[in-house]
Amino acid sequence: MPELPEVGNLILQLRPRVQSQKIKSVWLSANASLVGSRNEVLKALPGQTIAGLERRGKYIGMRLSGGRILWIHLGMTGQLFFSETVPQDDPHLHLTVAFQGLRESFFLRDVRRFGKLSLSSGEHDILLPGLKQLGPDPLEIDEDEFIRSLKNRRSAIKGLLLNQKLVSGIGNIYADESLFRAGVHPGRKPVRITKARLARLHASIQETLKEAIDCGGSSIDDYRHVDGCQGSFQEKHQVYGREGQECFSCRTQIRMVRIAGRSSSFCPACQT
DNA sequence: TTAGCCCTGAGA
DNA sequence: TCTCAGGGCTAA
């Protein structure tokens, strides 16, 4: 569930706490969703300093002083937090990083294990296939490029927005919310959407994501800030999670359909 | 391009 | 006990 705004917020909160900190020890659970060598992670991290944090799509990159990068994808239920005490008997705890001279350790918890962890030795040996093929960031892609990448596509726009090779970082919530704001039906195919409409969708995506970032993201189910606080953008959702309720704009009942294997909420009157 | 799978907890 | 939620990968 953590999408671009949630991941972006986590990085902002993590940065002041881990940047320039030296890693003392690392623990990995036996069933952590790790891509690559377990021993390498356990050997390579201790002694390294966190040089920086970056976001790529929904991935968090933790850059180490030696040039290596630890990549974290939170999947649906991944949570990052700090604590002075190690949670005992938590079967969902997958990574612990302790820092020199710091009482608090850094933890990764992931109930459904849809998340991913991977260590790369630099920019060029990324093992995560999704990260290697990541499309442009929706906040950076310009209108022309956005339209070009979608125009003439013959599958539902909703599925295309979720395709991380085309644009990276949009998930179910922000796809539904952006389509509502642009007045576009999630099942509509780009070949049948005017250029002006696609331009409006491009703007809606950027507006929605920026607003969500300012709100600290959407907290649904598991997403929490590193200090355990919740984001507030869920209070502004127009369609996501509102099926059966009235549209705030026209009072038509919000409907839910399955498109590209994902639930899609929309207003049948506002979105055509 | 799409269906099915992974995984677990919540709710019917 | 069954079904559903979902991101991303694989196979058809």
Side-chain angles (χ1 to χ4, degrees):
Chain A
M1 200 279 301
E3 303 180 26
L4 187 155
E6 289 77 28
V7 173
N9 265 288
L10 284 174
I11 287 177
L12 287 179
Q13 295 156 27
L14 287 171
R15 202 169 271 140
R17 300 178 84 150
V18 303
Q19 188 132 341
S20 308
Q21 299 295 342
K22 193 169 184 181
I23 297 172
K24 187 168 75 182
S25 60
V26 173
W27 172 85
L28 263 178
S29 73
N31 62 348
S33 305
L34 177 75
V35 176
S37 158
R38 179 187 169 80
N39 278 340
E40 222 171 304
V41 174
L42 294 172
K43 260 173 50 189
L45 267 63
Q48 291 283 305
T49 298
I50 311 279
L53 288 170
E54 61 185 271
R55 178 184 66 74
R56 284 201 206 159
K58 303 176 194 170
Y59 293 84
I60 296 170
M62 207 175 262
R63 200 173 279 274
L64 305 172
S65 43
R68 293 190 146 198
I69 308 170
L70 179 68
W71 296 102
I72 301 174
H73 189 291
L74 296 171
M76 269 192 65
T77 52
Q79 296 172 312
L80 299 175
F81 61 96
F82 289 89
S83 174
E84 287 189 16
T85 53
V86 178
Q88 294 298 307
D89 301 321
D90 181 346
H92 306 306
L93 197 66
H94 296 297
L95 171 72
T96 302
V97 179
F99 297 99
Q100 276 182 17
L102 274 192
R103 286 180 158 196
E104 287 187 321
S105 293
F106 168 72
F107 299 94
L108 166 66
R109 192 174 180 269
D110 187 2
V111 172
R112 290 187 195 165
R113 291 200 283 128
F114 273 26
K116 289 273 181 298
L117 266 177
S118 186
L119 182 67
S120 64
S121 52
E123 293 291 337
H124 304 295
D125 71 331
I126 289 170
L127 299 173
L128 297 164
L131 181 58
K132 265 195 292 201
Q133 303 177 58
L134 212 55
D137 195 278
L139 292 174
E140 287 167 14
I141 189 171
D142 68 37
E143 191 184 290
D144 288 343
E145 193 187 348
F146 178 78
I147 293 172
R148 236 190 345 264
S149 68
L150 292 174
K151 198 74 193 140
N152 302 326
R153 291 268 182 167
R154 293 170 188 281
S155 60
I157 182 72
K158 168 68 183 276
L160 295 168
L161 293 182
L162 296 180
N163 182 346
Q164 305 296 302
K165 292 176 194 167
L166 294 179
V167 268
S168 57
I170 300 174
N172 216 21
I173 297 174
Y174 298 105
D176 280 1
E177 291 299 315
S178 302
L179 286 166
F180 173 81
R181 290 184 184 213
V184 176
H185 189 288
R188 188 164 280 275
K189 295 168 179 163
V191 279
R192 298 185 48 120
I193 304 176
T194 62
K195 208 176 157 188
R197 258 321 199 29
L198 286 174
R200 193 167 147 206
L201 179 59
H202 171 260
S204 297
I205 289 169
Q206 296 200 338
E207 282 164 22
T208 308
L209 292 174
K210 282 177 187 162
E211 254 183 66
I213 290 168
D214 290 342
C215 288
S218 301
S219 284
I220 293 171
D221 301 331
D222 302 280
Y223 174 72
R224 295 292 180 276
H225 294 175
V226 290
D227 55 8
C229 289
Q230 300 194 14
S232 67
F233 193 71
Q234 67 279 5
E235 293 159 21
K236 295 192 179 181
H237 290 177
Q238 304 287 310
V239 286
Y240 184 86
R242 295 198 63 245
E243 54 278 8
Q245 298 177 45
E246 282 181 358
C247 171
F248 291 131
S249 172
C250 72
R251 307 193 74 177
T252 302
Q253 212 177 57
I254 302 296
R255 282 189 55 203
M256 183 158 89
V257 290
R258 252 188 128 65
I259 294 169
R262 294 288 172 259
S263 67
S264 306
S265 303
F266 69 103
C267 170
C270 297
Q271 294 172 256
T272 56

